[in-house]
Amino acid sequence: MADGGARPVRTYGLLAWTWLRAAGRFPVSMALLSLATAVVSGLDAVAVLVLFSRAPRIAGFTAPEVLFLYGTSALSFAISDIVLGTTEQLGERVRLGTLDAVLVRPVSPLIQIATEQFSPRRLGKLVPAAVVLALALPRLDAPWTPGRAAMVPLMVASGTAIFAGLWVLTAAVQFVMVDSHGATKSLTYGGAYLTQYPMTMFGRDFVRGVTFVVPLAFVNWQPALYVLDRPDPLGLPAAARFAAPAVAAALCGAAALAWRAGIRHYRSTGS
C-alpha cells in the first residue's frame, strides 16, 4: 500500500522533471522567465505597502500583520499553483477532444494534465511570498508560544491543500461546464487575492460565505487569528482556529470525488 501511495508522487516527479530538462536547454530564457514571474508575483506585496503609505492600519491590522496574511496566502497559493495550476486548462482539452489521448495512457489523467509543460518559471512565484513571510514574522507583535510557532507551517500546508482542492474541484466542473474557465478563476486566483487581506475589510455576510460555503477563510484567516491573538469577527468558537487541516481534508476529498465522477461520466467528442 505504501508503494501504491508513493507511485503517483514518483510519476508526477518524473513527468515534471522531463519538462524541466527540456526547459533547461535554454538556461537564459528560463532564468529571465523565472525572474519575470517573481517580479510580477511580488506586485501584490508592493500594493499592500502602497496602501500602508497612506494609512497606519488596514481594517484594524498593522503592516506586518497584513504582510503576514499576504505571505501565508501567497505561499500556499504558489505551491498549489505550481503543482496543480495547469488543471484549469481541462475545459479546453474537453472542447478540442485532446483529453481522449490523455485517458488512454497508463498514467493518471490528473497527473498528466498537472505536469503538462511544467516550467521552472513557475517556481518564481515562491520567491516573493517566502521573502515577505520571512520579513513579516519577526516584526509581528504576537505572543509567540510553541503552539503559535507550529501553527505557521501548519497553516501554509493546510492552505496549500485547500487551494489544491479548489484547483481540482474547479477543473472537475469543466467536465460539465466546458466554458466555465473564466468563472472558476474567481475561486482560485480570486481566492488567492482575497486571502491576502484581513477579512474585517469585507461584509459579515461575505465572510460567512467564504467560511461556510467556499472555505477560503481557513486558508490563513482563522489560523492567523490564533497566531495574532485576535478575536473572530463572526464570533466563531476558538476551535475554528484549528479546523484548517480538517477543512482541507474534507475539501480535497470532495474534489477527488468530483474528479472521479467527471472522468467516469466523460464522453468523447467523437472527433
Side-chain angles (χ1 to χ4, degrees):
M1 291 179 66
D3 181 68
R7 188 178 297 113
V9 177
R10 289 200 301 268
T11 302
Y12 186 101
L14 178 61
L15 293 176
W17 176 244
T18 301
W19 285 103
L20 287 172
R21 287 184 62 187
R25 297 180 62 185
F26 307 95
V28 176
S29 175
M30 179 180 66
L32 291 176
L33 286 172
S34 300
L35 178 61
T37 300
V39 171
V40 171
S41 299
L43 291 178
D44 286 340
V46 174
V48 172
L49 294 175
V50 170
L51 289 175
F52 276 103
S53 69
R54 301 299 184 204
R57 289 176 177 263
I58 293 178
F61 285 73
T62 64
E65 290 172 335
V66 175
L67 290 174
F68 171 64
L69 291 172
Y70 167 86
T72 51
S73 170
L75 188 57
S76 298
F77 182 75
I79 297 172
S80 70
D81 188 16
I82 289 168
V83 176
L84 289 166
T86 52
T87 56
E88 67 176 355
Q89 301 172 3
L90 179 70
E92 182 178 0
R93 282 188 168 277
V94 172
R95 184 171 57 253
L96 298 178
T98 57
L99 182 62
D100 296 16
V102 172
L103 295 177
V104 298
R105 296 170 187 155
V107 178
S108 163
L110 181 59
I111 291 177
Q112 292 183 66
I113 295 171
T115 56
E116 187 175 34
Q117 297 183 358
F118 195 98
S119 171
R121 68 180 176 83
R122 293 161 68 178
L123 302 177
K125 299 177 181 180
L126 295 173
V127 176
V131 169
V132 169
L133 183 58
L135 292 175
L137 283 173
R139 291 168 172 78
L140 290 177
D141 184 18
W144 287 109
T145 62
R148 285 185 167 85
M151 178 62 80
V152 176
L154 179 62
M155 66 193 290
V156 172
S158 299
T160 300
I162 290 172
F163 278 126
L166 287 176
W167 280 118
V168 176
L169 192 59
T170 54
V173 169
Q174 296 180 55
F175 280 111
V176 179
M177 302 172 61
V178 178
D179 295 321
S180 63
H181 178 206
T184 56
K185 278 190 173 183
S186 63
L187 293 179
T188 51
Y189 291 97
Y193 183 78
L194 168 71
T195 52
Q196 293 172 6
Y197 293 91
M199 291 290 172
T200 46
M201 291 179 59
F202 310 106
R204 291 177 66 87
D205 289 340
F206 181 80
V207 176
R208 289 190 184 95
V210 296
T211 300
F212 300 112
V213 181
V214 181
L216 290 168
F218 294 95
V219 169
N220 61 349
W221 174 246
Q222 283 294 335
L225 291 176
Y226 169 69
V227 173
L228 301 176
D229 196 24
R230 291 290 195 114
D232 186 345
L234 290 182
L236 295 179
R241 294 158 173 76
F242 307 95
V247 171
L251 184 60
C252 287
L257 291 175
W259 178 266
R260 289 171 185 165
I263 290 289
R264 186 166 58 250
H265 294 96
Y266 170 72
R267 296 293 179 266
S268 171
T269 60
S271 58

